[in-house]
């Protein structure tokens, strides 16, 4: 009986020891010395390739600075927006940085950092005829260009629009399709639309002058319950906010301090399940 009890106690100690030594994702990241980040490389002002073919953008540079402050290198994985959250969930990447909005449904499945950008939604329409959209209800029956799983596409669907989905396409593809009438509208973030439209002055497009809706907060996305990584990332973001780095990066890419809450009057959409 004593031998059985001793064996049981020994096995319990071994199990507890193994559990205590189990590495977290953040432990593994520190061991490798590399933070792996999913991003698109196709989202002007947030994640794109510049004229020197270097990956940059607001979200990219925020992620770079976070890694730097954690004394880590950063490796970006380029993929479509629809593939990023599954990549975080399966552990293929450590973070996703691509203008992801924090929503209640997403918070059930993922951990988010503290917000580093505050914005709202608007839309790209044809300058010549507003694409026939003068109110959100006019989206019914229109064709919206967007990713299959984005919040912007969910808003378009909420008002009865059909969503034309793309792979990891560039801003040019989305905006050209509105201009030539292949689609009617692109619902998206104010800052992204502002710079996307400005990049293609020859297109028959504009940012809708009247419609501002669905205030948003953007953050880095991590695997659910990775509290150690979350705490480290938030500490870095807080330091960036306190010393003005976050504001500097925002102004560099958006011409405005998107790291502070917007003062625009923004319509709240009722009944939006996101």
């Amino acid at each position: 009986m004593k031998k059985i009890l001793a064996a049981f106690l020994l096995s319990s100690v071994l199990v507890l020891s193994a559990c205590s030594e189990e590495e977290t994702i953040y432990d593994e990241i520190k061991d490798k010395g590399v933070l792996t980040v999913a991003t698109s490389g196709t989202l002007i002002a947030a994640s794109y390739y510049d004229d020197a073919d270097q990956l940059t953008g607001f979200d990219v540079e925020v992620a770079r600075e976070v890694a730097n402050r954690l004394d880590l290198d950063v490796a970006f994985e380029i993929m479509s927006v629809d593939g990023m959250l599954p990549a975080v969930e399966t552990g293929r990447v450590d973070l996703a940085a691509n203008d992801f909005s924090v929503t209640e449904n997403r918070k059930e499945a993922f951990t988010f950092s503290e917000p580093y950008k505050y914005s709202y939604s608007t839309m790209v329409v044809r300058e010549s005829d507003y694409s026939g959209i003068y109110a959100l209800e006019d989206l019914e029956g229109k064709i919206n260009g967007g990713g299959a799983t984005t919040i912007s596409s969910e808003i378009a669907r909420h008002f009865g629009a059909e969503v034309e989905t793309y792979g990891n396409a560039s801003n040019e593809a989305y905006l050209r399709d509105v201009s030539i009438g292949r689609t009617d509208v692109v619902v998206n973030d104010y800052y992204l639309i502002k710079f996307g439209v400005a990049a293609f002055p020859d297109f028959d497009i504009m940012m809708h002058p009247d419609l501002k809706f669905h205030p948003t907060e953007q953050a880095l996305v991590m695997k659910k319950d990775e509290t150690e990584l979350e705490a480290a990332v938030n500490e870095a973001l807080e330091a960036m906010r306190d010393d003005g780095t976050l504001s500097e990066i925002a102004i560099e890419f958006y011409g405005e301090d998107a790291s502070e809450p917007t003062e625009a009057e923004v319509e709240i959409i009722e009944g939006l399940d996101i």
Side-chain angles (χ1 to χ4, degrees), residues 34-152:
V34 179
L35 186 69
T36 307
V37 181
T39 196
S40 66
T42 59
L43 199 57
I44 290 177
S47 173
Y48 66 100
Y49 286 90
D50 63 17
D51 293 339
D53 203 31
Q54 297 297 310
L55 182 66
T56 190
F58 177 63
D59 291 70
V60 168
E61 299 307 330
V62 167
R64 274 205 178 101
E65 184 62 20
V66 166
N68 180 59
R69 295 190 184 220
L70 298 180
D71 198 26
L72 298 167
D73 292 331
V74 62
F76 290 99
E77 293 274 348
I78 304 300
M79 61 184 70
S80 71
V81 65
D82 293 332
M84 291 181 200
L85 296 184
V88 170
E89 193 170 29
T90 61
R92 176 180 166 183
V93 298
D94 305 315
L95 299 175
N98 205 74
D99 204 66
F100 276 103
S101 295
V102 182
T103 72
E104 291 305 313
N105 287 352
R106 284 176 171 173
K107 283 163 66 176
E108 292 179 4
F110 299 93
T111 291
F112 285 85
S113 71
E114 289 299 312
Y116 57 83
K117 175 170 171 268
Y118 298 86
S119 188
Y120 58 88
S121 296
T122 182
M123 60 182 74
V124 177
V125 293
R126 282 183 292 279
E127 187 172 14
S128 57
D129 64 358
Y130 281 57
S131 298
I133 300 171
Y134 302 94
L136 285 169
E137 290 72 20
D138 294 331
L139 283 167
E140 185 170 3
K142 299 295 192 294
I143 301 175
N144 174 81
T149 61
T150 64
I151 301 306
S152 297

Side-chain angles (χ1 to χ4, degrees), residues 189-202:
D189 173 80
Y190 159 73
Y191 291 103
L192 301 182
I193 287 177
K194 174 184 173 182
F195 275 80
V197 168
F200 302 99
D202 295 333

Side-chain angles (χ1 to χ4, degrees), residues 219-269:
L220 298 170
V221 190
M222 293 161 271
K223 198 170 184 177
K224 184 69 174 175
D225 296 329
E226 285 300 325
T227 54
E228 191 177 0
L229 178 59
E230 177 189 12
V233 168
N234 282 341
E235 184 177 354
L237 286 172
E238 182 178 2
M240 291 164 63
R241 185 176 293 282
D242 289 345
D243 67 19
T245 301
L246 203 54
S247 292
E248 290 174 8
I249 299 173
I251 292 169
E252 176 185 356
F253 288 99
Y254 292 125
E256 303 177 51
D257 191 357
S259 72
E260 295 294 335
T262 179
E263 296 181 357
E265 293 187 14
V266 182
E267 179 182 350
I268 305 295
I269 299 173

